[in-house]
Amino acid sequence: MDRPMFDKIWEHNPHGFGIAYAKSRDKTFVIRKALEKEAAWKLYNEVLDKKKFFKHFIAHWRYSTGGLKDESNCHPFKIKGLDAVLAHNGTIRIP
């Protein structure tokens, strides 16, 4: 993705950014997050520079529909007990 595309996505989803990837076959997920656009762009490029070490990644830009605008609410999240991460749109309410 080039910088103009990144900026356009950020313009519509300005409340945070997260990226996750699995390190080789051990399925250890690395999750990194940023709240500012320049930090997110740098993070995106740092991860893509390492892409030769992993096959898949997920990136998510946040538009806040609720909750604090902080890194704890930026996706993706590690799913406890599973070798998986989650990113979603909207609000998940846990009863």
Side-chain angles (χ1 to χ4, degrees), residues 8-36:
K8 190 69 170 173
I9 294 169
W10 189 272
E11 179 182 323
H12 296 282
N13 301 277
H15 303 135
F17 173 80
I19 193 164
Y21 59 94
K23 291 170 54 176
S24 66
R25 295 174 190 248
D26 68 2
K27 297 181 183 175
T28 301
F29 285 97
V30 176
I31 299 175
R32 311 239 339 254
K33 300 176 181 186
L35 293 175
E36 303 298 328

Side-chain angles (χ1 to χ4, degrees), residues 3 6-7 10 17 19 32-34 36-50:
R3 182 61 194 250
F6 187 95
D7 289 345
W10 189 272
F17 173 80
I19 193 164
R32 311 239 339 254
K33 300 176 181 186
E36 303 298 328
K37 182 169 74 170
E38 292 308 314
W41 174 246
K42 181 179 176 184
L43 174 58
Y44 175 80
N45 284 290
E46 285 175 10
V47 171
L48 270 282
D49 285 345
K50 297 176 185 174

Side-chain angles (χ1 to χ4, degrees), residues 8 17 23 36 39 50 52 55 63 66-67 70 75 78:
K8 190 69 170 173
F17 173 80
K23 291 170 54 176
E36 303 298 328
K50 297 176 185 174
K52 63 185 172 196
K55 290 184 179 180
Y63 182 85
D70 63 17
H75 310 176
K78 172 77 173 84

Side-chain angles (χ1 to χ4, degrees), residues 55-73:
K55 290 184 179 180
H56 306 286
F57 74 94
I58 183 171
H60 188 274
W61 286 258
R62 181 172 188 242
Y63 182 85
S64 177
T65 57
L68 298 174
K69 294 175 186 169
D70 63 17
E71 285 188 20
S72 70
N73 285 317

